[in-house]
Amino acid sequence: MTENKLSPLDERHRALGAKMADFGGWDMPIEYPGGGVVREHTAVRERVGIFDVSHLGKATVKGAGALDFVNSCLTNDLRKIGPGQAQYTMCCDESGGVVDDLIVYVKAEDDLFLIPNAANTAEVVRRLEEAAPEGIEVADAHEEYAVLAVQGPKSDEVVSALALPVDHDYMSFDEADWQGRPVTVCRTGYTGERGYELVCRRDDALALWDALVEAAAPYEGLPCGLGARDTLRTEMGYPLHGQDLSLDITPVQARSGWAVGWKKDAFWGKDALTKEKAEGPRRISRGLKLTGRGIPRAHCIVRDAEGAELGEVTSGTFSPTLGMGVALALVSPMLAEGDQVVVDVRGRMLEAVVTKPPFVEVQTRSS
């Protein structure tokens, strides 16, 4: 049995008493003592939280024509952005199913940096390597770098305390220097709050983590585990690959068509997705807000008032911000915002209303 990979910050998490779990083959912190997921979630919504997301993949694509090559493979249109900008996109197969969703950093026309999900990095790299023409090199750099996320209303103050750049536009990045160490600072995140993701060399991660945690302390900022990351992203309606996106769940079904360059000449899965979009998907992702007590979970059946099956929950959680259960569900396209449904949670029929995400108001794109 293969042992899980360890984050470069593993010793810090264990010293803090973190509850650890497997994430895509990596041992990562779920929560820390002293309040757990709800306390960490609230810190991000109200102040600031520091996350280790080093399990996320890292890959490079370099060589003349690298940008156009990647653009011919992945769904979104890289020609809509330029050097110093990042873009959310998807790697699909020819059926239109999602192999992975990822972020592409455009450093230059011939130099791209990719951040896939942990469990899918090797497959994304394999597919790109197989398709790459001569002169373009695709490399898996998964364990060469660490990624730290600073998220929350006080994220600017924390990042600037390290003399790192802030105030750049949403989904843009700067190549910076911190105490002689290279750090890429990108204004992105998976929480909905204003925030930054810092990519550094693996060997520099401990020092950078310690500095960020120290800078967050005056604002009552906290180290945060991946449990809070999940509740935060679900409140925003952000999809998680393997639950809300998969080889069986297309971007059209997941309502992620905004990340598809429909006018591009080519990308993997274009024919299947164009056909599905034109015909209309057989099921579609909707948000659900429970009106009573209870927590919806993945695979819970969604029914109408008469008990007929409408679909199933893909992601569900308790929303600490709202104090109620919220969910994403793949359901009949006939369901519309405001419709009443019930969610079957272990035999309990919990009433819910179809609600367009995000479930909470945040300041993701504020200047």
Side-chain angles (χ1 to χ4, degrees):
M1 189 174 178
T2 305
E3 287 189 8
N4 278 358
K5 293 180 173 64
L6 301 180
S7 160
L9 302 172
D10 186 73
E11 63 183 75
R12 288 291 188 273
H13 302 317
R14 295 183 190 279
L16 287 168
K19 181 180 178 181
M20 307 293 285
D22 170 74
F23 282 84
W26 290 64
D27 278 348
M28 297 299 292
I30 298 179
E31 61 182 64
Y32 299 91
V37 170
V38 172
R39 179 170 178 252
E40 293 163 19
H41 177 112
T42 303
V44 174
R45 286 279 181 252
E46 297 180 356
R47 304 180 304 278
V48 66
I50 314 296
F51 296 82
D52 175 14
V53 288
S54 298
H55 64 305
L56 292 176
K58 305 97 188 167
T60 59
V61 183
K62 297 183 179 182
L67 188 146
D68 284 334
F69 162 64
V70 172
N71 205 29
S72 72
C73 300
L74 307 183
T75 60
N76 213 336
D77 190 354
L78 284 170
R79 284 295 169 195
K80 291 182 177 179
I81 66 171
Q85 293 179 291
Q87 186 183 73
Y88 174 82
T89 188
M90 286 167 280
C91 173
C92 290
D93 69 3
E94 290 308 319
S95 74
V98 183
V99 175
D100 196 26
D101 60 335
L102 62 155
I103 302 287
V104 177
Y105 290 47
V106 177
K107 296 189 173 186
E109 288 270 334
D110 60 356
D111 188 359
L112 278 64
F113 188 80
L114 280 53
I115 301 188
N117 285 292
N120 303 324
T121 301
E123 180 61 14
V124 171
V125 169
R126 183 192 70 78
R127 288 174 181 251
L128 289 170
E129 278 182 330
E130 284 189 359
E134 188 174 350
I136 292 180
E137 181 181 355
V138 181
D140 189 332
H142 202 158
E143 297 185 61
E144 295 177 27
Y145 297 94
V147 186
L148 309 183
V150 183
Q151 300 283 302
K154 295 297 183 182
S155 56
D156 278 31
E157 288 85 343
V158 172
V159 174
S160 61
L162 275 62
L164 288 169
V166 294
D167 285 335
H168 34 305
D169 292 337
Y170 182 62
M171 295 299 286
S172 66
F173 64 91
D174 284 331
E175 306 274 8
D177 177 279
W178 177 68
Q179 298 183 354
R181 303 171 171 99
V183 179
T184 301
V185 182
C186 192
R187 202 179 138 209
T188 53
Y190 198 45
T191 65
E193 295 296 337
R194 186 179 180 90
Y196 300 86
E197 291 182 333
L198 281 56
V199 182
C200 66
R201 295 177 304 201
R202 182 181 178 93
D203 290 348
D204 297 334
L206 275 173
L208 184 59
W209 169 269
D210 289 346
L212 289 169
V213 171
E214 182 179 356
Y219 305 101
E220 298 183 50
L222 297 174
C224 297
L226 300 187
R229 192 168 184 260
D230 192 59
T231 56
L232 289 157
R233 70 94 189 168
T234 305
E235 285 188 343
M236 291 303 298
Y238 292 161
L240 175 66
H241 190 273
Q243 291 184 200
D244 313 294
L245 293 165
S246 71
L247 287 171
D248 296 320
I249 305 173
T250 69
V252 177
Q253 294 171 22
R255 302 184 77 188
S256 296
W258 59 270
V260 177
W262 296 105
K263 295 180 181 179
K264 291 199 304 182
D265 290 338
F267 57 85
W268 293 338
K270 181 180 180 182
D271 290 347
L273 291 173
T274 301
K275 183 174 184 287
E276 184 180 37
K277 181 187 179 189
E279 294 177 351
R282 61 186 175 84
R283 56 185 185 172
I284 197 162
S285 180
R286 297 286 188 195
L288 302 179
K289 187 185 289 186
L290 267 63
T291 53
R293 294 173 61 89
I295 303 174
R297 297 297 186 191
H299 306 301
C300 287
I301 301 301
V302 181
R303 304 182 186 277
D304 65 17
E306 284 71 46
E309 188 170 326
L310 299 171
E312 72 172 23
V313 172
T314 53
S315 285
T317 193
F318 173 78
S319 162
T321 306
L322 299 175
M324 64 177 63
V326 296
L328 299 176
L330 271 179
V331 293
S332 165
M334 301 299 291
L335 273 181
E337 188 176 345
D339 285 352
Q340 302 287 324
V341 297
V342 294
V343 181
D344 185 344
V345 181
R346 298 177 182 172
R348 293 175 61 212
M349 299 301 167
L350 305 178
E351 295 183 354
V353 61
V354 178
T355 306
K356 183 179 179 180
F359 300 106
V360 298
E361 291 187 15
V362 293
Q363 301 297 319
T364 311
R365 293 172 175 80
S366 66
S367 60

